Amino acid sequence: MRAHVPGGGRHADARRRRLRPFGLRTRLVLAFLLVAAVGCGTTAALTYRAARNAILEQTQNTAVTAFRQQVETLGTQLPINPDGLRTALQGIAKQGKPRPWRVYAEYGDLRVSSTDRPESSVLTPELRRRATAIGATHGSFQRVVKDGTPYLTIAVPAVFGDYYRGFPEGSPTGLVLYAVMDLGEEEANVEAMVTAARDGALPALLVALVPALIASRSVLRPVRELRVAAHSMGRGRLDTRIHAKGSDELSDLARTFNESAAELERSVTELRNAEARARRFASDVSHELRTPLAGMLAVTEVLDEDAGALDSDTARAVRLISAETGKLAVLVEDLMEISRFDARAAELHTDEVDAAASVRKTLQNRHWTDPEKIVTELTDGLRVPLDPRRFDVVVANLVGNALRHGAPPVTVRVYAEGAWLVTEVADRGPGIPADVLPHVFDRFYKADAARTRSAGSGLGLAITLENVRLHGGTVVAADRPDGGAVFTVRIPL
């Protein structure tokens, strides 16, 4: 399968080819090599064991059979003549197969050998016990390692060949012959086989590396393509697809991915279309309402002026209509403003302005000049690139929110902090509940679900957030330690 990523993807390919020391590819190759190493090691061990047993058993059988035959041809006469026995042992030693032996004889306390040493340190007490046991006439053998050198030791008791002085044929004479043969040559052959197996293992592993790389590539290439496709979808390219071929599990995974991607693309497209229709509907409705609202506002202004001449019930109704018409006008303007943000049509027209003077102008234009309600702590001379209209909206929404939902006095502070212009609006009200705090900038959010009406449009803080973001800044809400809420706006200087 092959990933189709719209718009290129060289950077993604570079990241995909980047070596990962402990990635899946490395682990697959190491696992493949481990299996090959275990296979080579197991084969070498079994071969070594079988060859060693074969070599040693062949040498052992040859030597035991030949030594037993030599002992059987030995005519044993009692009492034992040491000199004649030594000569016989030397003759047997020369007939040794597959190579000469060192032959020893023991009869009671008598010790005779074919060499200058009458006894051998290689012969073990166990072998002597087995050779002199009652009824032991066929002998026994044992492999012994002495000072790092392997030996084959053979023990065969001498028996009477015929009836001799009351002893029946085949009876033990009490004389036991021992043969000692050096197995160094056989051990050298075995070691040579081990060295050959060990030297052949490394080339075998190098050869196994080639299919390991090929196998890991064939397995991981679809996985990498799937990762690249998933990364592309995560970046918003919902038309990403994987070319799948074959009938294995990875191909099935690719087809499932394509089906999921197609369904996701269809769902997201529907959601985007619905969102666009909703934004367009709000914008169109707001735009259509502006003209009749302008006429209604003009009429309500005239009615407000004449309300004093009307009876009390009529005057109350006129003032209610006027107030509700004003709220509706504010709501329509806020809806149009928020729809511009949603459509990415909001523009920033900055100018270098005095931040303190801009705040004072905002407060004066809305008649928020009562020192018992508004307290200002403004740092003069801070010239900041701002959009005057949008900064005015930010300050007005925060102060208006504090007056509506908090308690006076509302403190407005403007100062510089590092590379930021900081604007704080704090009140002395009950503060913001912990469950409400994360949602204060949500649109139309109501802290009290039972409260169906509010003094504002429900969009003021949301518009404030969008205007601050447009300036490249941040706005956060928090509770003051001594009571009340505080909104902090940071805009880069």
Side-chain angles (χ1 to χ4, degrees), residues 336-349 387 389-390 463 466-467 469-471:
M336 292 191 65
E337 182 71 8
I338 206 72
S339 65
R340 281 191 287 269
F341 284 115
D342 290 341
R344 304 292 190 269
E347 296 179 354
L348 194 67
H349 302 283
D387 185 325
R389 184 185 71 83
R390 297 191 181 279
I463 292 174
E466 297 294 343
N467 278 318
R469 285 178 176 172
L470 204 59
H471 280 86

Side-chain angles (χ1 to χ4, degrees), residues 134-269:
I134 298 175
T137 58
H138 296 285
S140 59
F141 62 89
Q142 188 179 40
R143 287 201 293 265
V144 180
V145 177
K146 181 71 173 181
D147 298 330
T149 303
Y151 296 93
L152 173 65
T153 59
I154 310 170
V156 177
V159 298
F160 294 109
D162 52 13
Y163 190 85
Y164 178 77
R165 296 181 182 179
F167 295 98
E169 181 181 357
S171 298
T173 63
L175 175 66
V176 180
L177 275 67
Y178 299 93
V180 177
M181 186 178 69
D182 188 346
L183 294 178
E185 183 176 339
E186 286 75 12
E187 194 68 26
N189 293 335
V190 173
E191 291 295 333
M193 294 184 62
V194 173
T195 302
R198 183 185 60 207
D199 294 342
L202 183 58
L205 289 178
L206 294 178
V207 172
L209 182 61
V210 176
L213 293 174
I214 296 175
S216 65
R217 177 181 175 85
S218 63
V219 171
L220 293 182
R221 182 174 55 190
V223 177
R224 287 196 299 269
E225 292 173 353
L226 183 62
R227 180 181 61 82
V228 172
H231 179 74
S232 177
M233 288 192 63
R235 301 185 65 177
R237 298 171 182 171
L238 300 181
D239 57 341
T240 301
R241 298 293 184 273
I242 298 176
H243 298 288
K245 58 182 179 180
S247 58
D248 56 6
E249 291 81 357
L250 290 175
S251 299
D252 293 340
L253 178 61
R255 295 186 183 93
T256 302
F257 176 87
N258 290 339
E259 294 172 0
S260 301
E263 183 65 21
L264 178 62
E265 183 180 16
R266 184 187 64 80
S267 300
V268 171
T269 301

